[in-house]
Amino acid sequence: MKNEDLVEELIRQKYITSERVKQAFLSVDRKFFVPKDVKSRAYYDDPLPIGYNQTISSPSIVATMLELLDVNEGDKVLEVGTGSGYNACLLAAMGRVVYTVERVPQLRDFARKNMENCRFHDKIMLILGDGSVGYGVEAPFDKIMVTCGAPEIPKPLVEQLSPGGRMVIPVGSTFFQELYIVEKRDDGIYRKIWGDVAFVPMIGKHGHRWA
Ligand code: SAM
């Protein structure tokens, strides 16, 4: 199997529906973002362990979230939960610049190394810290993608969204969440629920409190 086979399957199953997301998936090879012991499963539609009780999400949910987020080439993007760096590279393939925040130092290092294989890595700023408070020094962001489950929508993330901006975020318990699409419009903040998802918990000031 190769990366193109994964992309073809994601299109066949209608997880990828836009040319933009398709091109991003074709230009970022998932095998560079999974640990050695699970490389043989890089092109399966499965979440895979990346150490420290964390995972690289399944390609189908990554594709779904990217389609919902609708990243354009001028967009300044914030990602909370760098993990392997895979999603940050996909975002960088579509947007102008990506700020991605990870709380586990070893995963920050893992992502940095993996991103060397990504031709968009110059567009990515990798930050070690608590992404539940966002990244105020670079706010506002046109798009925010959260890849860990928050107990509720963190206020700072809403504040750091540009007018007209959009955020995709799993909200719920430490095991199961609903995927929210949050939009900041002139007349207020709008929320829509896409459906059920299962992400590792967001740990931090506006996340869950246990590690
Ligand atoms: N987007 C990642 C990828 O492409 O591999 C997968 C992310 S993994 C499902 C969730 C990540 O969120 C984990 O690496 C975890 O350490 C991180 N995380 C959890 N709480 C966080 C927080 N408050 N700030 C930043 N990262 C956090």
Side-chain angles (χ1 to χ4, degrees):
M1 254 182 124
K2 47 189 195 309
N3 197 52
E4 286 80 357
D5 299 321
L6 168 65
V7 179
E8 206 173 289
E9 187 57 21
L10 293 172
I11 294 169
R12 200 181 66 78
Q13 303 246 17
K14 300 198 168 31
Y15 292 112
I16 293 179
T17 54
S18 70
E19 186 60 26
R20 203 164 181 74
V21 173
K22 175 184 164 185
Q23 289 308 326
F25 268 85
L26 283 174
S27 60
V28 182
D29 191 325
R30 193 170 186 249
K31 83 165 176 240
F32 294 121
F33 298 86
V34 302
K36 264 196 208 107
D37 56 328
V38 290
K39 283 257 191 256
S40 60
R41 289 156 61 197
Y43 304 128
Y44 291 5
D45 186 19
D46 286 329
L48 295 171
I50 56 173
Y52 312 94
N53 292 322
Q54 306 302 326
T55 55
I56 175 173
S57 307
S58 65
S60 53
I61 191 64
V62 176
T64 300
M65 290 172 80
L66 290 173
E67 292 289 0
L68 292 171
L69 200 59
D70 189 27
V71 178
N72 296 302
E73 59 191 349
D75 283 348
K76 183 176 187 180
V77 184
L78 174 68
E79 180 193 33
V80 179
T82 313
S84 67
Y86 178 56
N87 186 56
C89 288
L90 291 166
L91 289 167
M94 293 188 283
R96 176 169 61 84
V97 59
V98 177
Y99 294 83
T100 179
V101 187
E102 172 56 53
R103 64 177 282 275
V104 179
Q106 293 91 335
L107 289 177
R108 184 267 319 259
D109 297 342
F110 178 60
R112 178 178 289 147
K113 200 167 149 292
N114 296 341
M115 283 173 187
E116 286 168 11
N117 298 294
C118 162
R119 64 187 155 103
F120 309 105
H121 71 263
D122 286 350
K123 293 160 80 176
I124 304 172
M125 312 299 142
L126 185 47
I127 299 125
L128 180 67
D130 176 9
S132 76
V133 299
Y135 192 55
V137 289
E138 282 295 339
F141 300 96
D142 302 302
K143 304 284 160 63
I144 299 180
M145 179 155 166
V146 181
T147 64
C148 43
E152 51 193 41
I153 301 171
K155 250 205 193 113
L157 295 186
V158 177
E159 286 163 5
Q160 291 173 27
L161 210 48
S162 303
R166 183 180 295 182
M167 165 162 60
V168 176
I169 177 171
V171 178
S173 73
T174 50
F175 292 108
F176 300 106
Q177 305 89 23
E178 289 179 310
L179 188 62
Y180 280 48
I181 304 148
V182 180
E183 285 184 350
K184 188 182 260 187
R185 299 190 202 148
D186 291 345
D187 57 344
I189 307 296
Y190 287 78
R191 287 182 305 184
K192 243 188 341 207
I193 294 174
W194 174 82
D196 294 337
V197 289
F199 276 84
V200 294
M202 173 190 276
I203 309 291
K205 188 171 176 207
H206 294 270
H208 297 278
R209 293 302 170 94
W210 53 271

